Amino acid sequence: MGREMLTNSLVELDRQHLVHPVSSFRGHEARGVRVLRSAKGATVTDSEGRELLDGFAGLWCVNAGYGHESVVEAAAEQMRRLPYATGYFDLGSEPPIRLAAALADRAPGNLNHVYFTLGGSDAVDSTIRFVRYYWHALGQPDRDQFISVEQGYHGSTTMGAGLTALPGFHDGFGVPYAWQHKISSHYLYRNPLGDDPQAVIDASVAELRAKVAAIGEDRVAAFYVEPIQGSGGVLVPPAGWIKAMRDLCTELGILFVADEVITGFGRTGPIFASADEGIVPDLLTCAKGLTSGYVPMGAVIMSDHVYEVIAEGAGAKAVGHGFTYSAHPVSAAVALEVLALYEGGIFENGIRAGKRLMAGLETLRDHPLVGDVRGRGMLAAVELVTDKTLKTPLPAEMQPATRLFDRAWEQGLVIRSFAQGIFGYAPPLCCTDEEIDEIVARTRKVLDITLDDPEMRAVLR
Ligand code: PLP
């Protein structure tokens, strides 16, 4: 079969049978799938042979880059030797034990106990169960109220989607539940208080304090936060915000959960972004970069005191939470090899490339469509507006998400294109200087083409 025929038949099969995550089913049927065939480094190749720079590392996960033979070898070797071992019945296998120890060694403070999941959503969901169990074990079962942050994303399970604060994950699903509360996001660019960092920190602290008081001081179980809000549009809090929220949770006696599914594994520089402000969460979730996306895996890392309270509370009883594929040996073998690559130079490269990326994106500020540039390390966003003074978002009827994504694709660039007209960047940490410069240059091209779009001209001030 020729390449084009093969692609056509795949598009048709996909249309008929494959349900895509977070997609308009009808919109996807109309647009059809774009099939990727192979990848190397930071470049992906589609089924027609078109090469694109992956400025989003798949779904902010392929932090090490594509095509590392040593990772393939680690997976193959583990599959040959022992493709599966359960963690139930006191059984185990070597890779997840070594990986748990390696993560405990590198995680902040006393985060020393690792429960492995299959990805980020079930890691978040697991924390909800562990947090509830923790308070039951302490004899405070009424602490069953959870607080998270507007614009936050904490996955797509039924319980996690209610902590998530993006309407698309709520509408039609009957969440959030009454026990899931939110406080405002820091969203500096659009914060009604302006962009004075201390004013924003003070306001968030006051809001969380007031929220806890309103719910009842002895009712709140935990506060969830992403060190940088990812799916909400790459919203970077002012320096000191995370630390202020952590300190307040300590003062109020509620658990602090850092959701590092995106920010983990070098995305902002250090292995965990919690280190950026020297905080130690009570529980930390991670996934994505843990295996660099080569195979599925996530983790909950819990502090000594959370673990101890649960252990003591359960006594000889089993803590009834488990997945068949928790601590999967092949995923763990991959994660160990990926960690070796990260620490063998990729983290370091990511720090260098991140500075170049931020400096490059900053040069786009002069463009008539660019309202804001923000980010940290290899996690960044460019927010488009039609009026810089009024910060007017691109009109929804222009369907900026698909239109701008398509335009970037035409320029050989894969980026995240958020619904409200925000470009998201999370390139593999292995990017060369030339690749970073290309990401910036191609973005400018997309901006110029968009500026020439007659529909855009009509709404531009
Ligand atoms: N938490 C955060 C902060 C995320 O960004 C994501 C995914 O993007 C998740 C949880 C869910 O992870 P997954 O898609 O692996 O289930």
Side-chain angles (χ1 to χ4, degrees), residues 8-83:
N8 289 343
S9 80
L10 283 177
V11 171
E12 207 34 53
L13 285 173
D14 171 86
R15 188 173 277 132
Q16 287 174 19
H17 300 297
L18 187 64
V19 179
H20 286 249
V22 192
S23 68
S24 147
F25 290 5
R26 288 286 176 249
H28 177 76
E29 287 166 11
R31 286 189 292 274
V33 67
R34 286 182 165 117
V35 181
L36 295 177
R37 193 182 64 202
S38 61
K40 181 83 190 155
T43 300
V44 294
T45 305
D46 75 6
S47 57
E48 266 136 42
R50 177 201 293 267
E51 293 194 340
L52 303 106
L53 253 178
D54 187 356
F56 203 60
L59 195 64
W60 16 45
C61 56
V62 189
N63 292 11
Y66 299 90
H68 287 288
E69 274 306 317
S70 65
V71 179
V72 178
E73 262 314 303
E77 169 54 21
Q78 187 58 43
M79 279 195 195
R80 255 180 237 114
R81 193 193 322 213
L82 181 68

Side-chain angles (χ1 to χ4, degrees), residues 24 60 94 101 109 116 147 183 188 247 290 346 350 364 402 418 432:
S24 147
W60 16 45
E94 183 172 345
F116 286 111
I147 305 175
I183 62 161
L188 270 190
D247 290 348
L290 172 59
I346 292 179
L364 300 174
T402 44
F418 293 97
T432 61

